[in-house]
Amino acid sequence: MKKALVAVAALAALLLVSACEAPEQVDDPVSCASGEASGQGSSAQANAVNEWIKRYQIACARAAVAYASSGSGAGVTAFLAGTGDFAGTDAVLSDADQASAATRCGGAPAVHLPLVIGPIALAYNVAGVGDLRLTPATIAKIFAGEVTTWNDKAVAGDNPRMVLPATPIRTVHREDTSGTTANFTRFLAGTAGWPFATGSAWPAPGGLGVRGSDRLAAAIARTDGAIGYVEASYARVNELTTARVGDSRGDFAPPTDEAAATAVASAKPAGDGDLRLEFDYDDLYGGAYPLVQVTYEVICKRGASAVARGFLSYAASPAGQAAASGAGYAPLPDTLREQVSAAVAGLR
């Protein structure tokens, strides 16, 4: 018996040594690398990124990846300052930031890799109200402070067969700079004549401001009459009721992954070799949910670490997108996923 145990132990040790010497793989052709990589930024994508990190590190024992959910604005600022390998942002870099990124990247450009997509949910908490429908015009009036009660004629016009209470509307928005805010205000400007600025800082007066997607969802959950915008996975995790959003054709779609993916499939890359996506809200395919968010990983086209390249390659793979779907996000449409994979393969 003792000889048998010794033989088994020796065989196990041999297998362990062989495994350590063999090249590690994550769903060929995505290869592992030894070392560290780090990123920071968008809290909207944090659940997907954490799932990628967990799975990638299980398969790639010699790689360590870290991600700080600090918000898109803070993530971009840190990246431009030279901190970490990539930034997660729900809004594309401004022209000024693009110039700063080229300096940070040693003269090479920074590229946008759309890796996480999903609907921005309009989550609300109004006793007795379910299956709420809202047009972009009504949404804009609510967040501009022009519609202040839930039985206002604008809300009633969107929901003609619903009994609405006179509960005061309490809007909740992001207090910190946020790519979700940038996408939300861009949607309002593109569909509803939004009278305020667009961008990552909330522009309208009034309402409750909170920091981070998780706190925003929690604020809605505890506030009667509340409505706010949040990446849909946070609404699902917190079991918040969400509204259907109208499109230019007068159809109302729920914030499902499938409806968001339909909208993203209609978007076009900027056309300059980068994968920044541009939306035409009046030209979305039928059944598309128009209020969507694309989260990009911004990384230097030259000088990216091997671990960062391997990690992002896994994120863009079918397995990585399946993991994101399991974490509550919409997988990238196949054509876009292939474009992202090719862009990651072009990093050096």
Side-chain angles (χ1 to χ4, degrees):
M1 175 65 75
K2 182 180 294 186
K3 290 182 178 179
L5 291 175
V6 170
V8 170
L11 178 60
L14 178 62
L15 292 174
L16 179 60
V17 170
S18 298
C20 291
E21 292 175 348
E24 297 170 280
Q25 294 276 319
V26 182
D27 290 296
D28 189 45
V30 182
S31 298
C32 297
S34 299
E36 299 179 350
S38 64
Q40 59 279 307
S42 167
S43 61
Q45 71 164 356
N47 294 335
V49 174
N50 289 336
E51 188 67 21
W52 290 334
I53 289 174
K54 179 181 72 175
R55 296 186 182 214
Y56 186 73
Q57 290 185 156
I58 287 173
C60 304
R62 295 192 292 269
V65 183
Y67 183 77
S69 176
S70 57
S72 294
V76 169
T77 298
F79 174 76
L80 296 179
T83 302
D85 297 270
F86 63 92
T89 175
D90 308 317
V92 300
L93 299 184
S94 66
D95 291 342
D97 284 344
Q98 286 275 26
S100 297
T103 300
R104 179 256 197 264
C105 295
V111 296
H112 294 78
L113 304 172
L115 275 171
V116 178
I117 64 173
I120 298 175
L122 282 174
Y124 65 95
N125 178 6
V126 184
V129 176
D131 200 23
L132 186 70
R133 306 193 314 173
L134 295 172
T135 60
T138 301
I139 296 167
K141 290 176 182 177
I142 287 172
F143 282 89
E146 298 174 13
V147 170
T148 58
T149 61
W150 282 106
N151 63 349
D152 185 277
K153 63 181 181 180
V155 182
D158 293 345
N159 302 273
R161 289 176 293 277
M162 183 180 294
V163 177
L164 296 164
T167 307
I169 294 176
R170 297 177 171 88
T171 60
V172 187
H173 60 266
R174 287 285 291 272
E175 181 181 47
D176 50 333
T177 55
S178 161
T180 309
T181 297
N183 282 280
F184 182 54
T185 55
R186 183 180 64 179
F187 164 77
L188 294 178
T191 59
W194 177 241
F196 300 99
T198 62
S200 59
W202 180 251
L208 172 65
V210 295
R211 300 182 67 84
S213 300
D214 51 352
R215 291 186 179 91
L216 191 146
I220 295 170
R222 65 172 179 263
T223 306
D224 185 34
I227 183 170
Y229 57 92
V230 67
E231 198 282 324
S233 69
Y234 287 87
R236 294 167 190 160
V237 167
N238 289 275
E239 299 182 340
L240 298 174
T241 306
T242 57
R244 295 173 181 262
V245 175
D247 62 17
S248 61
R249 297 175 177 84
D251 297 323
F252 291 85
T256 64
D257 291 341
E258 295 78 11
T262 299
V264 171
S266 72
K268 302 292 188 295
D272 56 359
D274 202 356
L275 289 178
R276 304 187 310 276
L277 299 180
E278 297 178 346
F279 287 87
D280 181 350
Y281 293 108
D282 291 329
D283 192 34
L284 297 182
Y285 301 156
Y289 180 79
L291 182 47
V292 296
Q293 176 158 285
V294 179
T295 297
Y296 302 89
E297 313 310 325
V298 174
I299 188 168
C300 295
K301 192 170 185 178
R302 298 288 180 265
S305 71
V307 172
R309 298 197 306 270
F311 173 70
L312 295 176
S313 183
Y314 169 70
S317 72
Q321 287 299 301
S325 179
Y329 299 84
L332 296 176
D334 287 341
T335 299
L336 179 59
R337 188 196 62 74
E338 292 167 1
Q339 291 174 323
V340 175
S341 291
V344 174
L347 299 176
R348 294 290 181 269

